[in-house]
Amino acid sequence: MPRRKVFILSGILLCWLLAGISGGRVQAEAGDAAADQGSTAYIEAAGSVPSDPAALTARSGAQRLEQAAEALYGYVLEGDVLKARQEAEEVSQIFISSSFEGMTSVEGVNALSSVILDMKSALAAAQPSPERWEAAAAKLRLAANSLNHPRQPMWLQYYKLVREDLNDMEQSAAANDLKSWTAALARLQSRYANIRPAVIISRPAEAVSTFDSWMSYAGGVAGSEQPVERARLLEIVSYGQDAARVMFGKDRSEPVLSLPLAPQQYGGWALLAGAFILTVLVYTAYRKYRGQKQNLKPV
């Protein structure tokens, strides 16, 4: 009897252990299945949720706006005022029906709105003005492109022209020629007026404000009746070069001048002195070379 009881108790214990192991395995498999189902449901939900509708509207609106602005610019160049007016209305409707939230700042939206109004006003003027039409259409085209391509807008191509104007200003300042300095500044102001709305759309407000402030200060100096010193003109140009680099996103180490400044006129005696110094340096280097060569001894 005792041995029989031992067998019975052992069998009961073995069954209990097997039941526990099987139950734990079933629970683990059930937990894994639930986790897999939860992960699948999360992935499916994340995949099925569309991006922000406002962002989608902004992207499609920006694309349509650029296409309409390109078409309008073409009609203006062809002189087809009727189609240009129709396209201007299309541009206006796209702007009204689209949301550009997240694509530009409030200042950028205001700049785009002002460009559209200026384009419609130019086309509605009583006196035909092809030059004004073309200028307004070019601004609108650049602004729409800047909205649709904020990382690589077309207005960045103006950097070479802006740099050339700044180079002309620096050369004029070096020659203390205020008249030429003012003429180069006027060209720069005209170029900047064409791209300013596009710059506001795709650049931080601080970069735009910095260049605006520099342009205003330089314009005040150019209009001053008091004589301006050469050093001050050069300093103003230096500030403008830095502001332009920031606005166009250029590295400070990049050279600004495309042409060297005109050398100062020192006269014949200065040239003779320079030649004498160069001769002395060359002769000294030669004597040092000979001395080192004679001191070398074979081992």
Side-chain angles (χ1 to χ4, degrees):
M1 288 295 293
R3 185 177 298 178
R4 185 177 180 183
K5 289 182 179 180
V6 171
F7 284 137
I8 292 173
L9 291 175
S10 299
I12 293 173
L13 182 61
L14 180 61
C15 292
W16 180 76
L17 290 174
L18 291 175
I21 293 173
S22 300
R25 183 179 300 171
V26 170
Q27 290 180 357
E29 291 176 354
D32 293 340
D36 292 340
Q37 290 178 358
S39 301
T40 305
Y42 175 79
I43 294 172
E44 290 177 354
S48 62
V49 174
S51 7
D52 187 7
L56 292 176
T57 303
R59 173 56 56 192
S60 60
Q63 292 174 352
R64 291 176 56 199
L65 186 68
E66 184 180 14
Q67 292 172 358
E70 286 284 351
L72 191 154
Y73 183 73
Y75 292 142
V76 168
L77 293 182
E78 295 171 0
D80 194 336
V81 182
L82 180 60
K83 289 186 178 181
R85 288 173 179 171
Q86 294 175 352
E87 205 65 39
E89 290 297 329
E90 177 68 15
V91 168
S92 181
Q93 290 301 319
I94 294 173
F95 178 79
I96 293 172
S97 61
S98 301
S99 170
F100 301 116
E101 183 179 358
M103 297 193 71
T104 185
S105 61
V106 175
E107 294 82 1
V109 174
N110 291 335
L112 181 59
S113 174
S114 299
V115 171
I116 295 173
L117 291 175
D118 184 56
M119 182 75 253
K120 296 179 68 175
S121 176
L123 292 173
Q127 295 293 333
S129 178
E131 293 182 357
R132 184 184 174 189
W133 297 342
E134 185 174 347
K139 287 183 183 180
L140 177 59
R141 180 188 180 211
L142 290 171
N145 173 267
S146 183
L147 182 67
N148 195 29
H149 303 281
R151 294 185 178 180
Q152 288 296 328
M154 287 193 301
W155 66 265
L156 291 178
Q157 299 174 5
Y158 275 70
Y159 179 64
K160 181 179 179 180
L161 299 175
V162 170
R163 188 177 63 179
E164 288 177 355
D165 291 335
L166 288 168
N167 292 346
D168 292 341
M169 291 179 65
E170 186 165 15
Q171 292 182 357
S172 300
N176 203 17
D177 186 353
L178 182 59
K179 184 177 180 180
S180 299
W181 191 88
T182 304
L185 176 62
R187 292 194 300 271
L188 178 58
Q189 289 172 335
S190 178
R191 298 192 205 280
Y192 182 59
N194 291 333
I195 66 173
R196 187 175 183 273
V199 176
I200 296 175
I201 290 173
S202 58
R203 280 292 184 265
E206 295 78 10
V208 182
S209 299
T210 300
F211 199 79
D212 285 349
S213 299
W214 177 81
M215 290 285 287
S216 178
Y217 179 73
V221 171
S224 176
E225 297 180 356
Q226 301 294 330
V228 185
E229 296 180 357
R230 174 178 177 271
R232 187 183 179 191
L233 293 177
L234 288 171
E235 184 180 19
I236 293 172
V237 175
S238 177
Y239 292 150
Q241 290 170 345
D242 289 339
R245 287 192 192 96
V246 173
M247 186 174 66
F248 282 90
K250 300 296 182 178
D251 187 10
R252 184 175 176 82
S253 61
E254 180 177 344
V256 175
L257 292 178
S258 58
L259 295 174
L261 290 176
Q264 296 284 350
Q265 300 298 327
Y266 294 107
W269 287 106
L271 294 177
L272 290 175
F276 174 77
I277 294 173
L278 181 61
T279 303
V280 171
L281 291 175
V282 172
Y283 179 75
T284 303
Y286 174 73
R287 290 292 302 273
K288 183 178 180 180
Y289 168 75
R290 287 192 59 185
Q292 293 177 349
K293 188 176 181 180
Q294 291 176 357
N295 290 332
L296 291 177
K297 297 181 180 179
V299 178

